[in-house]
């Protein structure tokens, strides 16, 4: 039995999210984050990653990225939250989503996307990042 199902998101009101189909213990591996493995050069050369639309890109190492913008990657539907209940983990060229605390049945699965930030932003306790 899958640990999640796809349904309308309470976070992204226009989109979908993943929801727990049962109680999930912290530390449980929930879903693999899959996609196309591409080179850093392909990432740099592609207009796909210009921030004009959602980007599902992970840095795997200094040579490869993982482009998760593929229809068979349900993990791309996990929405951002500053008080996330999941995180990303991986080894080599593999990436997956793991529960970082106990998750109740019907709770939306969330990750902190940890967007890059610069001197104009700082980490805040009430929110993940806030403008300085």
């Amino acid at each position: 039995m899958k640990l999640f199902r796809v349904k309308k998101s309470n976070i992204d009101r226009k989109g979908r999210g993943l929801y727990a189909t049962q109680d999930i213990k912290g530390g449980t591996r929930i879903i693999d984050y899959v996609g196309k493995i591409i080179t850093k050069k392909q990432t740099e050369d592609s207009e796909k990653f210009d921030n004009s639309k959602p980007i599902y890109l992970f840095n795997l190492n200094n040579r490869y990225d993982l482009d998760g913008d593929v229809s068979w990657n349900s993990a791309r539907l996990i929405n951002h939250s500053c008080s996330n209940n999941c995180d990303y983990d991986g080894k080599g060229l593999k990436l997956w989503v793991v529960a970082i605390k106990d998750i109740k049945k019907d709770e939306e699965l969330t990750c902190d996307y940890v967007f890059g930030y610069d001197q104009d932003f700082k980490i805040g306790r009430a929110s993940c990042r806030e403008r300085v």
Side-chain angles (χ1 to χ4, degrees):
M1 175 180 199
K2 281 187 182 177
L3 296 175
F4 63 89
R5 74 175 183 276
V6 178
K7 71 177 205 177
K8 185 167 175 32
S9 173
N10 291 324
I11 294 171
D12 178 3
R13 303 259 184 222
K14 298 177 186 174
R16 300 174 294 165
L18 296 188
Y19 286 79
T21 57
Q22 60 193 43
D23 290 348
I24 301 172
K25 289 266 190 212
T28 302
R29 185 170 167 170
I30 299 172
I31 184 174
D32 289 342
Y33 196 98
V34 296
K36 298 176 184 174
I37 295 172
I38 60 175
T39 65
K40 297 289 186 189
K41 177 138 179 51
Q42 288 173 299
T43 301
E44 291 169 14
D45 293 346
S46 176
E47 292 181 13
K48 180 179 181 177
F49 307 113
D50 68 359
N51 289 323
S52 64
K53 64 177 188 153
I55 296 173
Y56 306 94
L57 187 70
F58 278 91
N59 173 27
L60 294 174
N61 57 37
N62 61 3
R63 190 170 178 192
Y64 296 107
D65 291 329
L66 177 63
D67 177 7
D69 188 18
V70 293
S71 61
W72 63 88
N73 181 24
S74 296
R76 78 187 191 288
L77 300 175
I78 295 175
N79 287 302
H80 168 78
S81 174
C82 295
S83 49
N84 52 307
N85 53 23
C86 297
D87 205 353
Y88 302 100
D89 197 1
K91 186 172 185 176
L93 300 178
K94 302 285 186 187
L95 189 65
W96 55 87
V97 176
V98 63
I100 58 170
K101 55 187 169 188
D102 292 348
I103 301 170
K104 298 282 187 202
K105 180 180 179 181
D106 296 322
E107 187 177 339
E108 186 166 4
L109 305 180
T110 59
C111 286
D112 181 355
Y113 290 174
V114 192
F115 294 114
Y117 61 96
D118 56 26
Q119 66 274 9
D120 294 334
F121 290 84
K122 68 175 185 173
I123 303 282
R125 279 186 285 150
S127 62
C128 300
R129 283 155 262 325
E130 57 190 34
R131 193 171 286 282
V132 180

